[in-house]
Amino acid sequence: MRRRQLLFLRDALIYTFTAFGGPQAHISILLREFVEKRRYITEQELMELNALAQILPGPSSTQTLIGIAWKVGGLRLAIVTFLIWIFPSAAIMCMAAISYKMFLTHSRFTEILRFVQPIAVGIVAYATYTFASKFLKTKVTTMLAIGALIATLILQNAYAFPILVLLGGIISSALETQPQESELRVSLFANVNPNKVAYFIGILLAFAALGAVINQTSPFSLPIRLFENFYRNGILIFGGGQVLVPLMYTEFVEVKHYLSNSEFLSGFALQQALPGPTFSFTSFIGSISLGNKGYSIGGQIMGSIVAVIGINLPGLILILFIVPFWEDLKKITRIRNSLSGISAVAVGFMATALILLVRPFGINWMAYGLMAGSFCLLYFTKIKTPIVIIIGVVLGLIF
């Protein structure tokens, strides 16, 4: 058994450095390497874990991998696997954030970024289109997406997100669930430990309260508030990294001004060229945010750690709590029916972010052309996202 767990950790490490392309590509690698080759779990178990990750908020690729680890070796193996999966890309993003200001003083680096950043917006546009075509199939979901778009553009407030997500889920669940299906709720809540639910919500409320109470001049105020920001977003993100980016942009760039549009897009472009979880992008945001507030390198590392733990903790807690009674959970039609509304609202968030990202282009037609070009490459060809980013870097080096 111990040998099997060590073998699993080795395979998880290899997977960490080869998992390019986002959740869709990740699941195909897991199917090939962890199911067909190693037989850690069955294909049916993998599909169920992936479906569970889609239902829950948080990083779907991370949750699926952690679920496999839990089935192979329990809680300890799941935690070690999580650290192996998240650390490499998060560390690279942290180092990139620390060195960003230094590189920015070189004019050549700035010239390269002027090509990469519009391409990154094109990637967001492609993700928005893909999500819209997948989830906006009824009049209700379309109206929910439009409503979320309008509301977030008008309100420009981070606390609009949880309200809109909740409303989207309630509306779709109410419209799509038949009365007799609600009887199944008892079987789910009979298996839920109320103490665990209380701990989950309590972490969020405790850090939100600390961030509000501690004096703004305290060196610990911003890290605590950052943790609350990332933890709260970790609860709200349904759909993985594609939804993470617009939420982060709206809150940290447009609302709180912790980092600039240029910094955000540069970090996003770098993350897209790396293997591993999209949620490691938060490492860059946390580090840059504290760096822009005058924190030292040690403070920036702390910002990176706070961001990565905060954004991943809700999904990690949920997957480890829920996997043991997944057989009951997947019977709850009301939960499943709420997903269409939640996904529609997420599409609205993505469209909002796209509008905000395009706005700084002004009359820069070259930026619009690069954005459209990257969208077309992803839509009409089989070229992967990292290659599109590399094309932008090459263009910057040539021109």
Side-chain angles (χ1 to χ4, degrees), residues 26-260:
H26 294 171
I27 191 66
S28 64
I29 298 173
L30 288 173
L31 177 61
R32 185 180 67 247
E33 299 296 329
F34 288 71
V35 176
E36 296 174 354
K37 186 177 179 180
R38 296 295 185 188
R39 302 188 184 280
Y40 291 120
I41 58 173
T42 66
E43 183 175 344
Q44 177 66 27
E45 288 175 318
L46 175 62
M47 294 301 104
E48 288 190 357
L49 282 173
N50 187 56
L52 176 58
Q54 301 301 321
I55 291 174
L56 298 175
S60 56
S61 294
T62 301
Q63 290 171 314
T64 302
L65 179 63
I66 298 309
I68 297 172
W70 187 90
K71 284 179 174 291
V72 172
L75 179 61
R76 182 179 299 179
L77 186 67
I79 298 299
V80 175
T81 301
F82 168 75
L83 295 175
I84 289 174
W85 168 242
I86 199 72
F87 179 77
S89 56
I92 292 172
M93 295 302 293
C94 179
M95 289 187 289
I98 292 171
S99 58
Y100 183 85
K101 298 291 186 183
M102 178 182 67
F103 283 115
L104 197 60
T105 59
H106 298 283
S107 59
R108 187 58 178 157
F109 182 72
T110 305
E111 289 294 309
I112 294 173
L113 288 184
R114 70 188 178 96
F115 289 95
V116 172
Q117 290 170 359
I119 287 175
V121 178
I123 294 170
V124 175
Y126 176 74
T128 303
Y129 171 81
T130 302
F131 261 60
S133 61
K134 182 178 180 181
F135 294 114
L136 305 187
K137 295 183 177 180
T138 67
K139 185 179 293 186
V140 172
T141 53
T142 302
M143 294 304 296
L144 284 172
I146 294 172
L149 167 64
I150 295 172
T152 48
L153 282 174
I154 293 174
L155 297 175
Q156 291 284 293
N157 188 300
Y159 289 95
F161 293 123
I163 296 173
L164 292 170
V165 168
L166 182 62
L167 285 175
I170 290 173
I171 291 171
S172 63
S173 180
L175 293 177
E176 296 179 15
T177 304
Q178 300 301 317
Q180 63 270 23
E181 293 173 331
S182 63
E183 297 174 2
L184 293 173
R185 286 179 296 175
V186 177
S187 64
L188 170 65
F189 290 103
N191 289 283
V192 175
N193 185 331
N195 291 329
K196 293 179 179 180
V197 177
Y199 294 152
F200 182 74
I201 298 173
I203 293 173
L204 172 63
L205 296 178
F207 278 91
L210 279 174
V213 170
I214 293 179
N215 190 292
Q216 297 294 307
T217 60
S218 168
F220 299 106
S221 175
L222 183 56
I224 289 173
R225 283 183 284 129
L226 272 180
F227 183 89
E228 185 273 329
N229 294 160
F230 284 109
Y231 189 89
R232 169 168 39 82
N233 280 292
I235 297 173
L236 300 177
I237 294 171
F238 291 83
Q242 296 94 332
V243 182
L244 168 74
V245 174
L247 281 176
M248 295 291 100
Y249 183 84
T250 304
E251 177 163 358
F252 290 94
V253 178
E254 291 290 326
V255 177
K256 296 182 176 175
H257 308 291
Y258 285 163
L259 67 165
S260 68

